[in-house]
Amino acid sequence: MASVTAKVMSTVSAPYGVLLTAAQLAEKIADINSADSYDCSVFAFLSEVSPKLQQSFIDEMGVSKDAFAEVARKFSDLAGYKLPLAI
């Protein structure tokens, strides 16, 4: 597991006891249904992982930037404050 992926997964998984793989997280951060279901792992990624590390993970995992931006915007709206990569 790459350093970027390890850091992201420990931040997202450990505090919430969520067991998922990097590939599963990559799918979730590009799936608008994650916002509709208030997925805690996606919100943790968006709010607790640094924007630089988020971008590195997105690049490393080949996540669609457009799909991710849509999910981030929706979570930002739900949270009531601007999340760093919600452009």
Side-chain angles (χ1 to χ4, degrees):
M1 186 180 304
S3 175
V4 166
T5 303
K7 288 177 186 175
V8 167
M9 296 311 296
S10 65
T11 301
V12 170
S13 298
Y16 302 100
V18 176
L19 298 176
L20 72 156
T21 66
Q24 289 170 322
L25 179 61
E27 288 177 21
K28 288 176 174 267
I29 64 173
D31 183 354
I32 197 64
N33 290 323
S34 295
D36 295 336
S37 67
Y38 312 108
D39 189 290
C40 65
S41 58
V42 176
F43 186 67
F45 178 81
L46 292 167
S47 62
E48 297 178 25
V49 174
S50 74
K52 182 178 178 183
L53 199 53
Q54 285 181 37
Q55 192 60 60
S56 294
F57 182 81
I58 290 165
D59 294 342
E60 187 173 292
M61 298 302 293
V63 174
S64 163
K65 289 177 177 42
D66 291 337
F68 170 76
E70 183 179 355
V71 171
R73 278 191 301 274
K74 180 112 185 219
F75 266 102
S76 189
D77 291 344
L78 290 168
Y81 61 91
K82 179 91 164 106
L83 294 166
L85 295 183
I87 49 176

